[in-house]
Amino acid sequence: MAQLVAHHTGSVGVTGSNPVSSTNEHCPAAYAGQFFVSWGGMDSPIGALRVVGGGAGVSRVCFAGEPLPIDAPSDYPAAAQQLAEYFAGERRDFTVPLDLRGVTAFRGLVLRELAKVPYGRTTTYAELARAVGNPKAVRAVGSACATNPLPLFIPCYRVLRSDGQLGGYRGGVQAKRYLLELEGIDV
């Protein structure tokens, strides 16, 4: 499992703000207060991906068409290499450090629990809500998954609806289906 980096001070973020819920919650163009060192892009079987990282680790994965939270291009080779190995079927766990600054305390809790779902397994939004100790928070868990800044590294695509249906995915339902099938899950 990848190492998660988060800071707890009431809300997980910078100066108490929650940039994930402002502007475009998926990959905000202005990620207030966070310093990004670099980003790099890569082609993948689910489309172009861009990975943003800094000194504390990978902080964002953007799908094609999503704005980057920084302007200056650079490179984040370790994350891109591990993603390439994953797509080639050579990697099941990620080891790059992950930076969750910028997500709320509850979303951070959900994402850390979600990171425990192993390769080739799925869970449901309801099971995830129970796992974080709030079984009535199914919709909030769904929102945390939908705004996951690190899809692929934190596998929100492994979360299904309680009726067994795929549910949504920021990268698109076809990408979710592809990722599950890559891991040997018949959907």
Side-chain angles (χ1 to χ4, degrees):
M1 175 179 6
Q3 175 190 357
L4 303 180
V5 176
H7 303 279
H8 300 283
T9 55
S11 71
V12 179
V14 182
T15 63
S17 66
N18 181 10
V20 173
S21 65
S22 64
T23 64
N24 176 347
E25 72 271 9
H26 301 305
C27 205
Y31 198 63
Q34 185 162 358
F35 176 71
F36 294 101
V37 173
S38 64
W39 68 269
M42 66 176 288
D43 291 325
S44 81
I46 60 171
L49 299 173
R50 293 175 293 175
V51 177
V52 179
V58 177
S59 55
R60 185 148 318 267
V61 174
C62 295
F63 292 102
E66 292 180 327
L68 278 172
I70 61 170
D71 295 325
S74 186
D75 194 16
Y76 207 86
Q81 177 65 36
Q82 289 189 18
L83 287 171
E85 292 167 359
Y86 169 79
F87 286 118
E90 300 166 357
R91 175 176 289 277
R92 291 181 173 218
D93 297 304
F94 297 103
T95 58
V96 292
L98 304 177
D99 182 357
L100 286 177
R101 289 177 294 172
V103 299
T104 65
F106 178 76
R107 287 182 179 176
L109 180 66
V110 170
L111 295 177
R112 283 187 293 283
E113 190 64 33
L114 179 55
K116 297 175 186 176
V117 178
Y119 182 99
R121 297 279 180 93
T122 61
T123 189
T124 67
Y125 297 103
E127 290 169 346
L128 200 50
R130 282 191 295 276
V132 298
N134 198 342
K136 294 183 180 183
V138 176
R139 289 179 63 139
V141 164
S143 177
C145 291
T147 58
N148 175 3
L150 295 161
L152 302 171
F153 292 108
I154 299 177
C156 52
Y157 59 88
R158 294 180 187 152
V159 182
L160 305 176
R161 294 179 9 179
S162 292
D163 63 5
Q165 298 296 311
L166 281 180
Y169 183 60
R170 196 175 96 212
V173 175
Q174 291 299 75
K176 184 173 187 171
R177 183 181 314 280
Y178 176 87
L179 294 167
L180 292 171
E181 289 174 353
L182 176 69
E183 295 187 9
I185 300 168
D186 186 28
V187 289

